[in-house]
Amino acid sequence: GARVAAVSCAACLSCVALALALGRHEWAAAFTDDASVRAGVSRAVLVNCVYVVADGVQTALSGVLKGVGMQAQAGKVVVFSYFAVGLPVGGILAFDHLPAGARGLRLGVIGLCIGMAIGTACHMALLAVLVSRIDWESEASRIAAGLAKAAPERAPRTAAAKRARGYAQLASSDA
């Protein structure tokens, strides 16, 4: 399930990223004749190809985490990835003068794009770690127990569901 979703997103969006990369000069030409703007857009599109793939995969992984009730952990990953990684890296790469007298690399818009791509890649990687640590047997039992308690006649008939029904019966007898 989760692995298939992530791999499918990565494969599909890699194709989109490849199409963007191959057509990067044409995208800008469709909107402007200014050579410097076209060159900047072409460079930004290449960086954003990384962003497109990472963003698609993290979206699939976020859906998996929401499905198992791990929104709070996913939210912490978002805050860390963008506010502690993406924005600071983007700022350092984009600007010359930084707070406390620090100096940046002055890459401008490309620096911001790189920072956000790095933040999104961090987001994707950390969500992948969270998803990889899910105990799917436990999740299946938890869900089956909830179904057995809510609608016993419609509960799944798998071995995990039978165990979960037993847990639900024990829990209801304790109450």
Side-chain angles (χ1 to χ4, degrees), residues 1-9 56-74 123-124 126-136 139 142-143:
R3 184 175 296 140
V4 170
V7 171
S8 297
C9 282
V57 174
Q58 73 78 18
T59 300
L61 296 171
S62 290
V64 170
L65 292 171
K66 286 177 187 174
V68 297
M70 294 178 66
Q71 298 92 323
Q73 293 91 327
H123 184 188
M124 178 196 69
L126 292 174
L127 291 185
V129 169
L130 287 176
V131 168
S132 73
R133 292 183 177 177
I134 293 173
D135 179 353
W136 292 105
E139 288 300 318
R142 182 180 65 81
I143 291 167

Side-chain angles (χ1 to χ4, degrees), residues 5-23 45-46 48-57 124:
V7 171
S8 297
C9 282
C12 289
L13 291 166
S14 292
C15 293
V16 170
L18 180 62
L20 285 170
L22 293 174
V45 166
L46 285 176
N48 285 322
C49 288
V50 172
Y51 173 88
V52 165
V53 175
D55 188 56
V57 174
M124 178 196 69

Side-chain angles (χ1 to χ4, degrees), residues 56-135:
V57 174
Q58 73 78 18
T59 300
L61 296 171
S62 290
V64 170
L65 292 171
K66 286 177 187 174
V68 297
M70 294 178 66
Q71 298 92 323
Q73 293 91 327
K76 292 173 186 171
V77 167
V78 168
V79 170
F80 174 78
S81 298
Y82 295 107
F83 291 100
V85 178
L87 286 174
V89 169
I92 290 167
L93 295 174
F95 303 114
D96 181 19
H97 299 297
L98 300 170
R103 304 285 291 187
L105 297 179
R106 297 176 47 184
L107 296 177
V109 171
I110 297 298
L112 290 175
C113 291
I114 292 169
M116 291 316 295
I118 289 171
T120 303
C122 177
H123 184 188
M124 178 196 69
L126 292 174
L127 291 185
V129 169
L130 287 176
V131 168
S132 73
R133 292 183 177 177
I134 293 173
D135 179 353

